[in-house]
């Protein structure tokens, strides 16, 4: 996609982008308490894969 079309694409998809943002905002993810972190990571992974981005969740023993 040419960069010159980016504004047009944003305007055309504005409602979908806002809904994705609200979905992320609603997802509980409190790093210090390790609450909802896996669920949030899975949500972001799914969103990225829907866009064709290959993803991998990296797990750790501590807080992310």
């Amino acid at each position: 996609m040419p960069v010159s079309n980016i504004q047009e694409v944003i305007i055309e998809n504005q409602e979908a982008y806002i809904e994705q943002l609200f979905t992320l905002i609603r997802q509980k993810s409190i790093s210090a308490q390790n609450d909802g972190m896996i669920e949030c990571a899975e949500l972001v992974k799914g969103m990225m894969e829907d866009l064709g981005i290959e993803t991998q969740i990296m797990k750790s023993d501590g807080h992310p």
Side-chain angles (χ1 to χ4, degrees):
M1 164 189 348
V3 176
S4 61
N5 295 349
I6 202 77
Q7 187 172 8
E8 181 180 321
V9 171
I10 291 170
I11 291 169
E12 287 176 5
N13 296 289
Q14 181 176 356
E15 288 184 37
Y17 295 152
I18 290 172
E19 184 56 39
Q20 283 182 331
L21 174 62
F22 283 129
T23 297
L24 284 170
I25 290 170
R26 284 189 296 267
Q27 173 59 51
K28 188 174 187 178
S29 59
I30 305 170
S31 177
Q33 297 173 3
N34 198 26
D35 189 3
M37 300 308 298
I38 293 172
E39 295 83 0
C40 190
E42 290 288 345
L43 176 63
V44 172
K45 181 179 189 286
M47 288 178 161
M48 293 176 70
E49 288 176 343
D50 287 346
L51 295 170
I53 301 169
E54 186 176 328
T55 64
Q56 177 180 345
I57 294 178
M58 309 290 286
K59 297 185 180 187
S60 69
D61 293 332
H63 299 298

